[in-house]
């Protein structure tokens, strides 16, 4: 299990280093490379996301949560979700939260 997690972490790192386009702050690209594996293409959590207790982005709590709350959760982490401070810039986090809003429609 530890080996599998290490391999997964290594491939996540490889993705982030291989994607210079991320620096441009495109929320959709950030979402697809860093968030989709847990939150799913349409905001419905994947098996991995469900096992960590991620909620669908369309849940009433997350629709009514403020941008500031969601930005803080992504920046600092929440529950089993890792923190993205230092991995994504503040602008990238803002853009990815804006992209999540489009998945809530
Ligand atoms: C390893 C799986 C995983 C990844 C990758 C992941 N998340 Fe999460 N995310 C979770 C889990 C689990 C929760 C539920 C946390 C809780 O409420 O305990 C969550 C919750 C959230 C929430 C709701 C926060 C709140 O205040 O309730 C947002 C927004 C979110 N994630 C955005 C993102 C974004 C943006 C990314 C990519 C940069 C991302 N997540 C990557 C697992 C993940």
């Amino acid at each position: 299990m530890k080996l599998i997690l290490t391999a997964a972490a290594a491939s996540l790192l490889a993705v982030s280093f291989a994607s210079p386009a991320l620096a441009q702050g495109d929320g959709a690209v950030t979402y697809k490379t860093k968030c989709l594996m847990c939150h799913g293409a349409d905001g419905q959590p994947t098996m991995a996301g469900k096992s960590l207790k991620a909620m669908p982005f369309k849940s009433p709590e997350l629709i009514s949560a403020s941008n500031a709350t969601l930005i803080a959760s992504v920046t600092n982490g929440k529950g089993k979700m890792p923190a993205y401070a230092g991995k994504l810039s503040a602008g990238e986090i803002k853009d990815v939260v804006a992209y999540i809003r489009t998945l809530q429609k």
Side-chain angles (χ1 to χ4, degrees):
M1 187 59 178
K2 196 165 177 219
L3 187 67
I4 294 170
L5 286 177
T6 310
S11 61
L12 287 180
L13 278 177
V15 167
S16 41
F17 287 127
S19 308
L22 287 184
Q24 292 164 13
D26 180 339
V29 173
T30 304
Y31 186 83
K32 284 181 187 128
T33 53
K34 311 240 174 199
C35 320
L36 184 146
M37 69 287 250
C38 287
H39 290 290
D42 55 1
Q44 278 294 333
T46 58
M47 295 289 280
K50 271 190 207 148
S51 71
L52 300 174
K53 310 246 183 295
M55 283 193 270
F57 285 141
K58 281 193 174 171
S59 68
E61 291 99 310
L62 294 184
I63 288 176
S64 62
S66 68
N67 287 339
T69 298
L70 300 186
I71 287 170
S73 298
V74 176
T75 305
N76 305 319
K78 185 175 182 201
K80 300 229 157 84
M81 179 166 76
Y84 285 89
K87 297 181 203 156
L88 295 174
S89 69
E92 286 169 329
I93 292 174
K94 199 165 151 261
D95 287 349
V96 80
V97 167
Y99 180 71
I100 286 171
R101 292 301 190 196
T102 69
L103 301 178
Q104 292 179 323
K105 303 238 154 86

